[in-house]
Each structure stands twice: as structure tokens, then as C-alpha cells.
Amino acid sequence: MTTTTDNRPRITDRQRAVYDWIVATYAETGAGVGIRQISEAFGFASPGGAYCHLTYLEKRGYVKRTPGRANSIVPILEG
């Protein structure tokens, strides 16, 4: 498990890698990402693997999603 520089709960190394990828992609494109993009980037067998990571990241305050919108996953930056 890794720690953060703020008060958010800890996340696993794999969750940190997904979060860091979301941050980098958002910084590069200025747009949110989708579950399929994450699934492809990390080689998950199905989008379900990415969905599980995102659920934990959202509950812990690392990302936010807009329900019903594609490519709406954006990072909540550390502070």
C-alpha cells in the first residue's frame, strides 16, 4: 500500500498506477477518460477490472465520474 501527501485513505500500488495514468492523461489531453481506455491501457481482460479499480478510487476521493456520460472520469488532484 502507498501513502498520500494529503488526508485521503491509502490505495494499493495498482490503484496508484491507474490514478497516476488518469492524472497524466488528463494533463495531456484536458479531457476525462473512460473505463475502456483504462482497461486497454492496463491490459485488463474486461472493462470490469477497470471498473473495480475506479469504484475504489472514487470512494476514496481520488477520481470523480459523471453518471451517464462517456469519458467522464477525471482526477481529484492531491493537495
Side-chain angles (χ1 to χ4, degrees):
M1 304 269 280
T2 58
T3 57
T4 63
T5 57
D6 58 19
N7 293 326
R8 293 185 284 190
R10 294 177 174 207
I11 57 175
T12 66
D13 290 341
R14 185 69 159 172
Q15 291 165 349
R16 171 59 68 181
V18 171
Y19 172 74
D20 289 344
W21 182 85
I22 293 169
V23 170
T25 303
Y26 184 74
E28 182 179 311
T29 65
V33 299
I35 290 175
R36 286 198 174 121
Q37 289 173 290
I38 295 167
S39 184
E40 290 173 8
F42 285 88
F44 293 125
S46 72
Y51 180 81
C52 289
H53 286 294
L54 289 172
T55 298
Y56 285 108
L57 290 172
E58 188 173 30
K59 285 181 181 178
R60 289 174 171 87
Y62 285 83
V63 299
K64 64 180 178 177
R65 298 187 274 183
T66 304
R69 297 204 54 194
N71 300 335
S72 67
I73 302 161
V74 295
I76 298 171
L77 300 176
E78 295 181 65

